[in-house]
Amino acid sequence: LFRSNGRAVDAVERGAYRASERWSRAACRLMRGEVGAGHPDTVHLANTLSRIVEVRGQLAEAETIARASVDAMAAINVDLEPVHRIRLESQTRLGDVLRALGRYREAEPVLRAALSDATARFGAHDNQTSTLLNELAIVLKYTRHRASIIDAADTGPTCAGTCRDCP
């Protein structure tokens, strides 16, 4: 199982997307069989598959997979950091696919909600928070005036000067 996912990720890094899709589908199928479709580990693998099929130009399928991942994670009520991170990964993936489809106004609330959650749970200087802020800025670039991007940054992640990275 993990070898299949590892091979899928390795193939993506080499640009061998057809092979990566085959390995990723195999990993998803095996994980679903072991723990079910709604398990965080299955969702994590599905997020990888969604990214792969998006890169291969299969945007409708990427959206379907991403939406199923978001729905599966919404049904999981477990307060563990890895679960929250997979939930954010799923929301980010859906926002990315919607952006790729040119559906910026749909992507914006998905990414805003994820950014708010990431900021509250992990702080302003967390990698997922930074990634979400960047993803939202890209969406806002296409939908709003540049000032909205600055507003998102100003009202988004803050740590109130409590970390060593703040000015």
Side-chain angles (χ1 to χ4, degrees), residues 2 17 24 29 47 57-58 69 77 84 90 92 95 113 143 148 157-158:
F2 293 106
Y17 299 114
S24 184
R29 188 173 45 257
N47 288 334
Q58 302 164 6
S69 292
N77 190 19
H84 294 299
S90 300
T92 304
T143 60
S148 295
T158 63

Side-chain angles (χ1 to χ4, degrees), residues 28-165:
C28 286
R29 188 173 45 257
L30 289 168
M31 185 63 81
R32 269 194 311 275
E34 289 295 317
V35 296
H39 191 278
D41 289 340
T42 305
V43 172
H44 178 67
L45 294 176
N47 288 334
T48 300
L49 177 59
S50 174
R51 182 172 60 109
I52 292 166
V53 297
E54 178 189 353
V55 168
R56 295 203 62 214
Q58 302 164 6
L59 297 178
E61 184 179 8
E63 180 185 2
T64 299
I65 295 167
R67 283 192 187 282
S69 292
V70 168
D71 291 345
M73 292 310 296
I76 297 172
N77 190 19
V78 175
D79 189 21
L80 294 172
E81 180 178 337
V83 173
H84 294 299
R85 292 213 179 263
I86 294 169
R87 183 175 293 113
L88 290 171
E89 172 188 80
S90 300
Q91 292 170 308
T92 304
R93 183 92 284 283
L94 178 57
D96 284 348
V97 173
L98 292 170
R99 179 177 49 85
L101 286 164
R103 292 168 31 203
Y104 307 114
R105 296 206 187 280
E106 289 179 63
E108 182 181 343
V110 171
L111 294 171
R112 279 192 185 276
L115 176 61
S116 177
D117 189 34
T119 303
R121 289 190 187 282
F122 304 118
H125 299 288
D126 181 78
N127 284 339
Q128 271 185 302
T129 304
S130 298
T131 297
L132 281 159
L133 184 58
N134 186 60
E135 297 295 330
L136 180 59
I138 292 168
V139 167
L140 291 174
K141 177 174 78 171
Y142 294 108
T143 60
R144 305 200 182 227
H145 188 269
R146 187 179 181 131
S148 295
I149 298 169
I150 295 167
D151 290 344
D154 289 343
T155 60
T158 63
C159 65
T162 58
C163 71
R164 64 183 178 170
D165 296 326

